[in-house]
Amino acid sequence: MTRGRSAATDWLGIEIVSAAAGEALLRMPTRPEMGNRAGVVHGGFIALLADSAMGRAMSTVLPDGERHFSFDLKMSFVSPGRLGEPLEAVGRVLHSGHRTGVAECRVAGEDGRLVATATATFIVTLPASPPGSET
């Protein structure tokens, strides 16, 4: 199950390439305004892409009506994201429980080189059971 898109991902032009069974692939175009002082993609944009990919992956394994939010994000930057190249992030669910979830992500440049890795922990709020459905 996938959910609606966020205003941030729409604004950045992030495309959901695929999302199913605990995995999601997202693609983000990069442009000059995303650059840092070194002339490469600012790490904050890469972190947003990774967090979005992991969140989308998490949404594929949770029931309708749930809410999930990352409360811990760990990024490791491996090589620069080049301005003008699309970046792709593959998020994968490692754990999906009733209260928390854990996911990992790999962000790559257009030539396949590893740009960053990430892990995140999510708080999960499952929908309330309808009255009378308790067993």
Side-chain angles (χ1 to χ4, degrees), residues 62-128:
L62 296 171
D64 284 336
E66 63 74 35
R67 305 279 300 180
H68 62 282
F69 307 94
S70 54
F71 66 87
D72 178 65
L73 175 65
K74 162 80 167 75
M75 293 294 305
S76 295
F77 297 101
V78 178
S79 65
R82 299 179 190 130
L83 293 171
E85 77 173 334
L87 298 178
E88 289 193 344
V90 176
R92 289 186 181 89
V93 174
L94 301 176
H95 164 73
S96 175
H98 292 281
R99 295 187 178 146
T100 62
V102 178
E104 66 180 359
C105 184
R106 294 176 58 88
V107 179
E110 67 184 340
D111 56 1
R113 82 186 178 293
L114 185 61
V115 171
T117 62
T119 57
T121 307
F122 292 82
I123 184 94
V124 174
T125 305
L126 296 175

Side-chain angles (χ1 to χ4, degrees), residues 19-89:
E23 184 171 299
L25 169 61
L26 276 60
R27 183 177 299 125
M28 179 178 72
T30 61
R31 50 188 194 262
E33 312 88 273
M34 299 167 115
N36 62 17
R37 294 182 306 167
V40 296
V41 179
H42 188 286
F45 290 106
I46 297 168
L48 186 146
L49 175 63
D51 186 53
S52 297
M54 291 182 286
R56 180 59 59 169
M58 189 66 61
S59 73
T60 68
V61 298
L62 296 171
D64 284 336
E66 63 74 35
R67 305 279 300 180
H68 62 282
F69 307 94
S70 54
F71 66 87
D72 178 65
L73 175 65
K74 162 80 167 75
M75 293 294 305
S76 295
F77 297 101
V78 178
S79 65
R82 299 179 190 130
L83 293 171
E85 77 173 334
L87 298 178
E88 289 193 344

